[in-house]
Structures are given as structure tokens and as C-alpha cells.
Amino acid sequence: MAAARAMLDEDYGEPQQQERCDQNNYCLGRIGKHNVVIACLPAGVYGITSVTTVATQMMSSFKSIRFGLMVGIGGGAPSKERDIRLGDVVVSKPEGTLGGVVQFDFGKQVGDGQFKRIGSLNKPPQVLLTAVSRLDSEHRMRGSSISKFLSEAMMKIPKTQQAFSYQGPQNDQLFEAEYDHVGDTTCEQCDVGRLVKRPTRGYQDPDIHYGTIASSSQVMKRGITRERLRENLGVLCFEMEAAGLMDNFPCLVVRGICDYADSHKNKGWQGYAALTAAAYAKELLHVVPGDELSTRATTEIIGQKLPSIPVQLPHPRNRHFKGRVKILDEVCTTFGFNNDPPSCPLGRKEIILHGLGGAGKSQIALEYTYRCGEKYSAVFWINAGNATDLEISANIALQSIVNHYAKTWDLASCYPRIALSLNIFKPQIRDHEGLMDAVNELSSIKLLKDWLPRDSNNGWLLIIDNYDGPDSCDLKQILPNTDMGHVLITSRNRNAHPTADQILVPESIGKEESEARDIVKLVGELPLAIDLAGAYLREDPIPIKKYARWLKNRPGRIFDPIATVWKLSFDKLGENAQRLLQLCSLIGNEDIPFELLEGGKHSINWMTDDSIIREAVKGLRSFSFVHWRPDDSLWIHPPVHQWVRNSLSNDAKYQNSQLVAKMVTSTFVFDDAKTSDQWVYERRILSHINSVFEIFKSQLAPEEGSLDDWARGVAGNLARIYAHLGDVKKSDFLYKRCLRGVEASRRIQDPEMMGSFGKCLSLQGKYGEALEWYTQALDAMQSLLGPDDHLTLETQQNRALVLRDLGKHDEALSLLRQVQDTRERNPSLGADHPSTLRTIHIIATVFEKQSKYEEALESHKAVLEGQKRHFGENNHSTLDTMDSIASVYERQGLYLRALEWYERVLKGLEELFGKETVHPWTLSTLSGKADILVRQGRYDEAEEIYRKVHAGFKTLDIRVLGEFPTATNLGRVLRDKGQYKEALKWCTEAREGLEKELEQAGDHPYTLASKFCIASIFELQGNFEEAIGLYQQVFEVDKATSGMNHSDTLKTMCSIASVFTQQGLYDQALQYYGQAEEGLEKVVGLDHPSTLMAVQGRADILERLGHYDEAFEQYRRVEEGLKQRLSKEHPQIFMAVYGMARVSESKGKHGEALKLFQQAINGWKMTFGEDHPSILMGLHDMGTVLRAEGRYDEATPLFQKALDGCRRKLGNTHPWTSRAVRSLSDVLAEKSQCGSAKKLHSEALSGLGTTLGTEHPPTITAKQNIRGYSNKRKADADGPVHKRRRKATRNKEKEKPKLKAWVYLRFIY
């Protein structure tokens, strides 16, 4: 910030206030005609995600910012064509298909092993590109003012002039790309013979270069890689932040060159490079017109003032609207729209239309909107009948805002800007899908309420329909606190909103033509009744007097005038139209698609073809009983809907209930016939499915006894569809009701139903019950159909799936092999039949459970080829197999391959279901992708995906199988980031949600997973008793449901042993590890990764007890065993190597320890890249070895690198960050820099106190060390530190509680 601040013409200091969510520090000032706000990244923190956060928070506090200048330092990429020197400036400028900045590490591995970059970033704003061109022209004609600005800036920073001064050509060294750095922080030991010969410049002023800047999340420090990217992409400069801004914040990137993006880093040039970049930025601002900026605020740039948002209303205009002229005039007069519309902003005015139900309040609001809507900047219709409808309406309004902004701006960068206009301060929003995911995570009501008062949107109309008071919903949630805008409320309660102007809507609409007066009076002068009467007379042009006479002669007209008119019209309908209306009265009244009515062709005698159904619909429309929509659906006015239902006799209601249940359920599609359109359709008709569910409970299912075949068929289809939609609670209820009293049945439908119920129980994790039902179904099918029937084989296969999940792998394989053999021998099936391929696919999943990954892959790939031949690549069965292949690669530790396969699956699902469709398969696949990102240490990306998946499942209302397990996953990634408090919140939400939704939630795998995660957080926080308690609960459930010898039970024992180890209860820990190891050897094998996890835990204890040789051998056993089962680069293998390194360190074999640590780090780099926490941990421990040898100068940069990485990856309060801070402070203390050591240790103490608590052992140790540094500093003032004191310090360090890294990795693998 110092370099930028030195360029200010006026320095205004810090802002007086900023948004609560904004954690940045700012400096305000002026350059030329422009007001400037300066922000920088937190100390020691850099990267794409961090800079996005800074910019997003800046925009929340300073809403008048038009664009940004990303000013800083970078590594140059010189060439023969571009003679880039240290201190020169590189400015981003679009070239070819690149927008000026390219994120070169954003892509995928392609078939030939090469890395293919995908996607692109936005170009800088046009106003800046124009200014760049103008400045470039002026430089060519008149020269640059940069040297002048540099001189002026140096006068402002006299105390730090040396750090910002030109370093001289003798310190500007460019080595050959292939030659790596030798030595410590300087190039004194590097071979000067490998320097690139370049001509001497005859001037000191920096050159300005325009072109492409490469950005990534990692430092570029390989000359060979720099050259490759320079040649392929034309890159001039490398840096680490710009890619995080270009799609979210309109900006230009300016970089001063401080090194050559190779291993020969040179911090000496950083100050001067920062100053030259800032000087160019200042000169650029001098050529950007100030008057243009001063007249445009953020509301015009980010919340840009736009043309009116198109009105979206729930119903079409009523072309037969009559009367109510006086009421409409009164509304217009109150709102000030009788003549020309007033100038914006509109003064705040509120009207409540109150009157009886059916009096026409909503119709008046609708007609007013159609007449005057174009005079408003935005009109939103909000249904306030209840809180749910309020949220849905607000969400629809937000969608219209987003769509309109996107259409109007028509820029690739519009979505980050739209997000800011909606007060969504979330980084990495790049497209419509990402923005809507962010909207769905938040309250749509609050977002709309916050958007309405914006200065750019001061002419809005909000229609609050059907609001009867606070009992229905809280109106304060959506009405903004502003003096702008119009609010029109419809209500049956005149006091529902006391501050609004009240307009009574009377039952009478006034007198019309003399011939119609009698009819108007006879129907109570209610608009809805008049509408139906008018429709009747339109269809049957009898004399009005005759119609009036009919009304007079019908009983009950005084008490129920609307019913009188409806009955007359209903009697006039054709028989089929009457039948259709009665059927529709038993389902929902909104959004009845014609596709649903077509279901009657399979079960209702008169519905023989589409033309008959459409003719019936036409009859209903002609008498205004239903209204048709452009999407080929109809809706019925609620009073009409209720009247028809109430008019049904009990017998008629029962008969129609049977018919409508059959009509709805006959449109369901199951298994391979299901398409993406079918999925969308099922979600669409969910309200009608729920109506049939209620019909089943109230009309079709007797309280006692078994169901008849017809009712059982309906209930079975409902149960299957609910299972498919993720509502296992309803599915479970229906299956149980279907199967009541059929234990002794000999009908084939019953064992088939038993098998389906078994599948439902499996989804709930009730494997024991599922196995019982599958066994019962299998016995019945073998008796009724024989052992080779396809239903028998399918049930046997499903039974094997349960055995697999229970850990009985050999028994499952035996059953599956039988099914496979039978199908292959069947002439009508054979080895390549889809059903046979499905069996082989399941066999492969058992291999995966057994860690036989190569066999699993071989089987999956053979199945995949067969499925491609049968179905193509984008069939759901094919994609399921591809997903399984990704899972196997993931378990092998081949994460890049796994990610590639998951991307293929996601692309196929997009083709199958459409890009905008939120489907559970897509969400599950995204979750699998996020799992890998966690393993790679890419926590921010993983968290973003998990949040997206969680919002998606929440939107679909798939809770047990989607929303809650994803909440646990969010808890895991937040735990690994060290955000324990928030992680606990998510895991607790998952656990409590599951306990609320499920009958036996405590036994469900997802509940156990949430408990396990909570326990692991307690363990990391040092709350060992709480951790043990939860682990013990999981253990008892595992033992009760799966048995003592199940792998899950035994692995939970390892977790309990881990806590015992950290408590120092080594005997108990060894007992648990030993028992787990013995059991796992029997269940999964001697060299299974789960077995070796127990071995590794035991080795850790042996190391702590000083049994170093035995511990070393156990770690070696783990390494060799894992190599047999996993890929050679699997990270878990190098955890064993890391353990051997620790043992060697403890034995004082420092040279061997350093080699092993380096081996582990190199192995992790193959999978993780440079900055994974495991690598940072290894660097830290290498520093510890060097420190023990007194090699402080070598240890210091390792501790610093570990600290910088932990801050970037894990945050300032993570225990590992605090550990790195403590180690760096300790080595500084050894070097007698006690003041710096004490300051760092105070930082560590703050972080540990925040994350682990004040009484956790490392926190207590940190407190003691701070006191020790003070004493040491005083002693050092009296003389040199004695060697024995250094040795005592090192011995004390060995006694400190260690944060065992293998525990962290155990949670992941």
C-alpha cells in the first residue's frame, strides 16, 4: 500500500465507516480529478480467492466505484521480441482470443497427457482500454511522466527510500531458463556463466509493455515452465491475483517486474517494481476523463439504472373485466397516475383494497397493473397467503430481475455485477447458475427487500395479494424501509396493514344495463359470479330475462348466489366436461399440465384419446370454469375448485378418487424408460402427487387389514415415485401400508413389493430390515416363478447389494456370480445384455469395497463399453458406470484422472437433463468432485461446490438423501480449514435434521457420519471426553447393526484409539488398535488400507514410547502394503514415509530424516501440487530437524514458507498456522531476535485461543514461551546464549504437544 499511497495528490486517510462485513483496511485520497480508494491484501496472504474477497468487500462499502486498477508486482517473461527488464511495467491488454489476463492453471488433462486450458477471463472496461491507447500514444510522442512521479513519491517516503530505489543494472540478472537456483536467498553461488547476454540499456526509466498477463494460484518459479507458457500463450508477466478479479470486478492489471518468474527470486527489486507500477497507474488516471466518472455512481455501473423490468403477472388480463371504474380511479388518484406519471422517484404510497372473498380485489389489482404497469420501473406480484408463498413469489421476482439485468447488459461479466446489485457479496460468481445458487442459499424475501430501495430503482410497484394479517406471514419482512415506491395490498381484513390508505371493494359492482340488473342483484353482485353468468350467456345466447327467471326459481340463491350460478353453468356443460372438472377438483387447482390429463387414457373409460380430453377442456374454458395457459396447462379459481369438490357425494368422491389416483400414477415412468423430461415433469406435478397421497390415506386405504390389488398398485407406484424424489418418509409409510397382512400371500405382486420395500429400507440405511424383506421376497419368488426368472434374479441381486453394504463381501460376490452365470447362460440374454452388464457393474463395486481396485476398474470398463453399444454415452446407466470409475480412481489416489471422469459425467448429465435443470444425480456427482478437491487441499473450491449442492438439494426438498449429508460434507471441509465453530454448526444441522426426519435416525449412516465429524472436531479442539463419547456412540451402533467384525466398526475403534493416544492413555490405545488390526485382517485382509491404518496408529504410539526401531518397521510395513493396493503416488503411502522420517528425527538421524521428509514432500507434490497442507507440514518438520542441528538460517525460510502457505490455505487461526508461527518465533529466539519471536508467538497464542480454547495444551505452551522469550531477551542482553540453554530449549520443544498430521489425513482417506 505504501507505493500506491505515495502516488496520491491528496491523502484523506482512513474512511470514517464501512460495511460490517468488510474486514479490509483502506486509504482514501485523490489523483488528478479522481477520488481513489486503496486496499491491499492482508499481510502474508495472497492468491486468487483472497483478492476476490478483498474486492467484493470493497464494493460493499464503496458503492460509487466504477472500476479498479490491480497494481502490484509480478515476474517477467522476457524474449527476443520483448526486452523486459526488472523495474519495467506490464499492463494487461486484450490480444487475440485472450482478454488481457489468462488463468493458465484452470483446465484439464487431455488424452495425450497434456494440460488443456479451458474457459477465458473478461477484458478490462472499455474506458480503461481507451485511456491505455491514449497514454501509449502520448508516451511515443512526448515521453512518460513516470520518472517525475517516482521522484515525487520518493520525497514522501524518506525513511524507506532504499527499499523503493532503483537497484542498478548489475543486480538485474536473467539466467538461462533451464538453470535452477543454487544456494539460499541470493544468487552469489549461481553460475554467472549461465547468464543470458543482453545489451546494456542507456537509460534508467522503466519501459511499458502491453499484452497478456498469466495468473494462477501458485507462484511461477520454473524457468522452463515460464518459457513454455510464454511461447504458447504470448505471456509477458506472471502473478497470483488478477484471475480472481477479471470476472467479478471491472479492472486493468498493472504489474511492476521484480523477478523473472524462475527459481532466482529477487526481493530486492520488489519495492522499486511496486513503485513503477503505481506511477504508471497514476499517469493513466490523468488521461481518464474525470467528468465522466463523477456523474456515474455504482448504481449506474453495478446496480445500473435500466429500462423498466418487464411485468410478470400470475394471470392473463381479464378481457371481460367490467365495472369498478370508481375504485380504479381512486387507486390511480392515490398513486398519482390519473394524468401523466410523476417524475421518479415515486413518493412512498400504500393502498389496501379490502372486502369479502370473491369481491374482485385481485382482479382490480390485476387490471390496474395492466393499465398502469408500464409507468413503473418494476412491478412484482407477491402472494402473501402464507410464508412459503411469500418466499416463492420473492424468488420469482429475483429471477425476473436477474434475467432482465443479464439481457440488458449482455456481457460475460454481468453476473458478478448483478450479484453486487442484489447485495450478494460472494466471490467466484461467474454465470447464471452460480448466481441463482447464491440466491437460493439466502432469503429471497430479504434480497428483494434490500434491492427495492436502490437509487436506480425508485419507481417500483409491489402488489401484495391475499394478505389477511400477520397470522399468514410477516409483511415487515418484504416491505422496504424507504420513502420511495408504491404498495398495493389486497386483503379481507381492513386492518391488516393499518398505515395504508383503505379502499373498500364492495360486493356490488354497481348497476349496469337495465336488463342485467336483476341478474347482478340475484348473484349478490359478486364479480366472480357475474363472470360465470356472463360466460353462460355468451355460450347460450338466451334472453337475459329468461336467465334471471331461472335464478329466481332455484332454491338457495339468497344464501349462496355463486353456487347458484355455478350450478346453472355446470348443468349446461357436456358430460365429459363435468367429469373432467370433478376429477380436477380432487388434485391441486394450479398448474395442471395436459400431460397429466393424458394419464386418464390408460384408466378412465371416456378418455380414449387427446381430442376428447381437449374438447372437454374447451367446454370448461367456455364457461370460465378453467383458464388455459400458454404452457399447455390449466388452472381453476380456488372457490370454483372448492365448490366442485364439496358438491361431490361420498360415493362420487370415492369413485373419482380412484380414477384420479390412477390418472396421476399412470403418468409415472420407472427404470430405464425415465428421461430428463420425465424428471422435470415429476417435480412439476409434486403438488398433485401429494393430493393423491392424501386421497389414498383418506379415501382408499382402510384403517385395518390388507389393501385390495387396485389400491396396492396405486400405493406401490406412489411409494416408488416418492423414493425417486427423495421423500423416503412417505415412501416408507406407503410400503408398510401395502404390505400389511400379506406375509402369507401367494401373489407375485406382493414379493415384488417386498423387494421394492427392501430398496427403500436400504436408502434409509436400515440394512438389517432390508435384508429380511429381500430374503422373504426371494423365497416367495423362487417358489412362484422359479430360480431363473428375471424378477427372482433381480431380487437376489438387490439382496447382494445389502450384503455388500453390511460388509459381507464374499457372500455378496457369491450371489452375484450366480446371477451373472444364470443370465449369461440364458439364450435371450447373454453376456452382453444390459441386465448382465448391470450385475457385473455391481460386482465391480464389491471389488472396490475390498480395495481390489484394478479388478474393479477392469470390470467397470468392460461394462462401460457394453453400455455405450446399447445406450450411448449419455444414458443414465452409462453415466452411473463412469461415475463408479471416477470413484475407483479417487480411492487409488489418482485424483486428476478421477476429476476428468467426473467432468465427463457432469457433461453427460447436462446433455441428459439440460443445463438449467437441478437434478439429484448432477448434485451427487458435483459432491464427488468436491470430495476430490478436499483431498487435494483445494478447500475453497470444495466449499463452494458443497454449498451449491446443498442449495440444490434444498430447492428440490431432498433432505435425508441430499441436504443433510451435504451439510456434513460442508462441516468436514470447514473443519479441515480450521473453522471449527462453523463446522460444528453444519454438522449439528445435519444431525438434528436427520433425527427430525427419520424414525430411527440414530442408526442411519448419515447420522453416524455427522456424529463422526463432530467427534473429529472435538478431537482437534482437544475436547477429548466429548470426542470419545460420540465415537463410542458410533461404535455401539456399528456393532449393533453390522457386527463387531464389520470394517466400519473396527475403523471406529481406530478413531477411539487415536483419542486415547492424544490423552497419553497408550495402553488402552494399543489395545484398541491391536483389536482393530486383528479384526480387519480377518475381514478385509492383511494389507488392506483400513488394516494398515490401524498399524500406522500403533506405530505412532510406539514412536511416542521410544520404541523407535519397532515403530520404523511398522511404518515400513504400511508403506509396502499400500504400494500393493494403491497407486504408487497415493498420498497415504507418503504418510507412512513421513512417519519413518519422524522416527529417524527422534533417533537423532537427522540426515536420514531430511531425506525421508523430502521423499514424502516430493510424493505429495505429484498429487497435490505445491501448497497442500501435508506438504507445508513436511516443510515445517524439515525446518525442525535443521533447527535441532543449529542450522537456523536454513530452517528459517522453511518455517516461513510453511507459515505463508498455512495462512493462504488454512487461515490465520488454524492450529497448523499457529504451529508454524510458534516454530518460526522459536528459531528467531535462538537467533536472539526475541522481540520478533515474542510478537509472532503472541499471534500464535491468539490463533490457538480462538480455535482450540485457552486451556488447550498448545495454547498453554504458547503462553509459557512468551514469558520465556522476555526472560531470554533480558539474559541475552547480559551476554551470549550458552549452548546448554540452546540444548535445553530444544529438549523443551520435544516435550511440547505435537499436532499429529497423520490424524488429519486419516479423516480424509
Side-chain angles (χ1 to χ4, degrees), residues 1188-1207:
E1189 291 190 327
R1191 296 158 65 179
Y1192 304 130
D1193 289 340
E1194 295 175 68
T1196 302
L1198 289 176
F1199 286 140
Q1200 186 67 59
K1201 188 172 183 179
L1203 174 58
D1204 292 344
C1206 286
R1207 280 172 170 164

Side-chain angles (χ1 to χ4, degrees), residues 1031-1103:
Y1031 281 140
Q1032 197 69 42
Q1033 288 181 32
V1034 176
F1035 172 74
E1036 293 299 331
V1037 173
D1038 284 339
K1039 186 169 69 171
T1041 56
S1042 304
M1044 187 62 209
N1045 291 324
H1046 191 278
S1047 59
D1048 287 345
T1049 311
L1050 297 166
K1051 284 189 285 187
T1052 306
M1053 290 186 70
C1054 292
S1055 298
I1056 296 173
S1058 167
V1059 182
F1060 286 151
T1061 302
Q1062 294 181 76
Q1063 289 179 301
L1065 304 173
Y1066 298 136
D1067 290 340
Q1068 290 173 260
L1070 283 172
Q1071 180 184 350
Y1072 268 70
Y1073 276 131
Q1075 189 176 348
E1077 181 184 347
E1078 182 181 352
L1080 287 164
E1081 284 182 4
K1082 294 177 181 177
V1083 175
V1084 293
L1086 189 67
D1087 291 330
H1088 190 280
S1090 298
T1091 308
L1092 296 173
M1093 181 180 73
V1095 176
Q1096 188 159 324
R1098 192 156 53 84
D1100 177 59
I1101 298 174
L1102 293 171
E1103 177 195 344

